[in-house]
Amino acid sequence: MSPSIPEMQWAQVAPRIGGPLEYKQIPVPTPGPDQILVKIKYSGVCHTDLHAMMGHWPIPVKMPLVGGHEGAGTVVAKGSLVSEFEIGDRAGLKWLNGSCGDCEFCRQSDDPLCARAQLSGYTVDGTFQQYALGKASHASKIPDGLPLDAAAPVLCAGITVYKGLKEAGVRPGQTVAIVGAGGGLGSLALQYAKAMGVRVVAVDGGDEKRGMCEELGAEAFVDFTRSNDLVADVKAATPDGLGAHAVILLAVSEKPFQQATEYVRSRGTIVAIGLPPDAYLKAPVLNTVLRMITIKGSYVGNRQDGVEALDFFARGLIKAPFKTAPLEDLPKIFELMEQGKIAGRYVLEMPE
Ligand code: 8ID
Ligand code: ZN
């Protein structure tokens, strides 16, 4: 490795399920033949990182773990087989750190569905460290001139909601209800929907999130903490009162996953993206059949979705608010996240 790469680096390490995090020095890893080493400048903090540390899901998580999967920085070393990146290129590391490339799903560009996928900040160490590894074929190229801090949240939140909106099949002029619109994914979903010409009813709680959603282009905001009849309020907020053509579920609580079929329009589509622990989707069979409702899941995006989501950003169509904090502050950010107190995204800045 180049002499400018140190042997040790700062990282936020979860030593065990449940934490607490340890901010400490750990060795800088060396790239394998098909990997790049990225000097991370900024990493977004996704609610998935909190789920990972807390062991919320029944999918084995690596421990000790360096979390993080919205890492933007510069390539400082690469393996002998890497042709996609040169040293000095700007690169983004995403949730999908690598996949086998060989299974039915990978062959059809459904690589998030690969059973042997490696996940940044979950099955392999992620981007809450100064130097992180990723498989070159999965890393994103970050177009020149884009600010790395604002680009970081696009790498998970942006790609995921962009893909989710495509999965929803909404057309320009139709209305989508975005549930959890005031959070990290939600703030970007509002911007992607607007860029696609799709009208938005935002659902979340509190005045700060209301203000942000309205600024980002929501035509209406329904406050789930104050509404006495959420279903009626969401329907009433759609232009003709008939309900949303699509619902994008980003909340980290089960209730909205049970309510969505009641305010989605007939023929409409519900896309589940948020991952509240131990939660179930519920829908009355009669209603679902007679109103021809589609219910589906959507999981991150493939490499092309990544390119497209970044391209929307590069063209200036996506501007979601974010707050910056030093890597050291991650425990405080997790606390705020747990309490639902973050409007938009937090982006961590790595120490020099
Ligand atoms: O590929 C995927 N499917 C994918 C990718 C990335 C993230 C899924 N996720 C998952 C995360 O693991 C998490 O479960 O999406 C969920 C949202 O992630 P996030 O946007 O990073 O979380 P956040 O910033 O905490 O936002 C969640 C929002 O939901 C609101 C909260 O107020 C917050 O603004 N919310 C809750 I909690 N309950 C609500 C309710 N009943 C609600 N909004 C409306 N109604
Ligand atoms: Zn994420």
Side-chain angles (χ1 to χ4, degrees):
M1 273 203 275
S2 132
S4 64
I5 301 170
E7 277 175 24
M8 299 294 281
Q9 58 161 339
W10 286 103
Q12 285 285 5
V13 184
R16 67 192 75 83
I17 298 277
L21 287 165
E22 291 170 2
Y23 184 56
K24 63 180 187 182
Q25 294 252 322
I26 61 167
V28 172
T30 307
D34 60 353
Q35 288 180 311
I36 51 174
L37 180 68
V38 180
K39 183 176 186 192
I40 303 291
K41 181 85 178 126
Y42 294 100
S43 175
V45 184
C46 180
H47 208 115
T48 293
D49 299 312
L50 182 56
H51 293 307
M53 187 180 84
M54 300 311 291
H56 279 164
W57 304 328
I59 309 166
V61 54
K62 169 191 183 291
M63 285 289 158
L65 175 75
V66 176
H69 56 273
E70 289 183 345
T74 310
V75 178
V76 289
K78 61 177 204 161
S80 58
L81 299 177
V82 172
S83 57
E84 298 90 341
F85 288 92
E86 298 301 334
I87 305 298
D89 283 355
R90 290 142 50 89
L93 297 181
K94 305 186 293 275
W95 176 245
L96 215 68
N97 190 280
S99 67
C100 80
D102 192 36
C103 66
E104 180 187 335
F105 299 110
C106 284
R107 288 196 304 266
Q108 298 183 121
S109 300
D110 258 338
D111 25 50
L113 305 181
C114 173
R116 284 185 284 158
Q118 285 136 354
L119 310 173
S120 305
Y122 203 93
T123 65
V124 296
D125 283 341
T127 57
F128 296 155
Q129 56 183 339
Q130 291 174 284
Y131 294 88
L133 292 176
K135 202 164 167 167
S137 57
H138 277 279
S140 289
K141 301 214 162 88
I142 300 184
D144 283 342
L146 293 190
L148 290 179
D149 50 359
V154 177
L155 296 166
C156 172
I159 291 169
T160 301
V161 298
Y162 171 68
K163 172 73 160 187
L165 283 161
K166 287 205 290 186
E167 289 286 321
V170 269
R171 296 196 300 271
Q174 294 185 330
T175 298
V176 64
I178 298 176
V179 185
L185 266 63
S187 58
L188 280 144
L190 276 158
Q191 288 274 285
Y192 278 97
K194 193 176 158 197
M196 293 170 175
V198 175
R199 305 172 72 168
V200 176
V201 174
V203 186
D204 211 311
D207 290 338
E208 189 188 358
K209 291 180 183 176
R210 173 191 291 275
M212 184 192 77
C213 290
E214 285 170 356
E215 228 161 82
L216 291 176
E219 290 187 24
F221 182 87
V222 177
D223 190 327
F224 79 93
T225 64
R226 290 186 192 152
S227 169
N228 292 323
D229 186 346
L230 189 106
V231 171
D233 289 349
V234 172
K235 281 176 102 170
T238 60
D240 56 7
L242 294 178
H245 294 89
V247 183
I248 304 278
L249 293 168
L250 306 170
V252 192
S253 63
E254 188 175 24
K255 196 165 179 203
F257 288 76
Q258 321 270 3
Q259 284 171 326
T261 54
E262 296 179 54
Y263 56 73
V264 75
R265 183 180 297 245
S266 295
R267 257 287 180 209
T269 301
I270 295 164
V271 183
I273 291 178
L275 293 161
D278 306 315
Y280 284 83
L281 277 159
K282 194 171 134 193
V285 171
L286 188 80
N287 214 14
T288 308
V289 174
L290 266 55
R291 301 211 296 108
M292 296 188 72
I293 293 165
T294 302
I295 303 173
K296 65 201 308 199
S298 187
Y299 181 36
V300 286
N302 66 16
R303 286 173 281 176
Q304 180 61 21
D305 296 314
V307 170
E308 292 172 16
L310 278 165
D311 183 59
F312 270 69
F313 177 66
R315 286 185 287 132
L317 298 166
I318 309 298
K319 278 200 190 77
F322 61 90
K323 300 186 185 93
T324 308
L327 177 62
E328 211 177 338
D329 283 1
L330 181 57
K332 284 186 226 161
I333 295 167
F334 273 169
E335 224 172 277
L336 291 172
M337 184 174 262
E338 181 100 69
Q339 298 160 0
K341 283 191 184 151
I342 302 174
R345 213 24 147 213
Y346 256 104
V347 172
L348 296 171
E349 184 168 10
M350 299 300 138
E352 263 313 309

